[in-house]
Amino acid sequence: MSAPVAYQRVKEQLENLKLLVALSELDGVLERGQKEELSMVEVIDSLLELELAARFERRLKTNFQLSGIPVQKRIEEFDFEAQPQVPKRTIEELATLRFLANGENVLFLGPCGVGKTHLAIALALKALEQGHRVYFLTLHDLVTRSAAARARGRLDTFFSAVLRADLFILDELGFLPLAAQDATFLFEIVNKRYQARKSVIVTSNKSYGQWGEIFPDPVLAVALLDRLLHHATAVNIRGESYRLKQRRDAGLT
Ligand code: ADP
Ligand code: MG
């Protein structure tokens, strides 16, 4: 087979195999191969690497879109000096994602505005960057989505979606008391994820002792806490609201 025919066939085959990045990069890689006198195997390697890198990027983008993360917040943007209650070392340790590999949970507890959601999202973004699937829901989302799914007879689908995620973030536990069926549903999720050793991050403005007030049945609250805390890092933030503090420091209040 002549070289031009082989070249044409490679292009067609890359297209048939849907290696579209490799296809579009083919000429560049071949040229570079010639210029830098790369071996044939190095040329193939570069081509495949470009395809895989593009696929990984695409996966990250899709995972982010599916994650439900409402805003991007990064650890680098977190002002640890303004919030001395948050141990920087603990957050740095969490940012290694060892907790995720070990299926451990993370709880951010404290009043409104102290950065609980910020830190939860920052860890979620780290997990996404490593290619993990993340599912972020406020407790309110969980209640409304499960109600909608239940009405359509699709509760199982929603339940599986929450279970499938490598990291599940439940934001704002404690803002509203739970109806019995929602409390049971939440318990089922936490329990199944616990059994599968899959991580959950919870943020709450209530201390553990007050969780009984959110649940219609205090026994359920205890059982839920038992699962959540078995392998967990809890970060208690007792400071004041970051924005309020900023405004006060600026002399606005
Ligand atoms: P919470 O979830 O505890 O109610 P948030 O995480 O939503 O609080 O924080 C409220 C706002 O203040 C967010 O915009 C967040 O990025 C910001 N914020 C809170 N604490 C800090 C901090 N220590 N450094 C930088 N920004 C912060
Ligand atoms: Mg919050």
Side-chain angles (χ1 to χ4, degrees), residues 110-118 120 136 138 171-172 175 203-204:
C112 206
V114 294
K116 301 183 299 296
T117 301
H118 184 134
F136 179 102
T138 63
D171 195 28
E172 299 186 349
F175 279 118
T203 83
S204 178

Side-chain angles (χ1 to χ4, degrees), residues 1 13 17 25 35 37 42 45 63 88 99 117-118 156 179 188 191 197 199-200 206 221:
M1 199 189 317
Q13 281 160 345
L17 289 167
E25 299 293 332
K35 221 186 288 165
E37 295 181 11
E42 284 172 315
D45 181 53
N63 283 354
K88 191 169 183 204
F99 82 91
T117 301
H118 184 134
D156 284 354
E188 279 304 312
N191 191 39
R197 293 273 329 230
S199 299
V200 179
K206 295 275 197 292

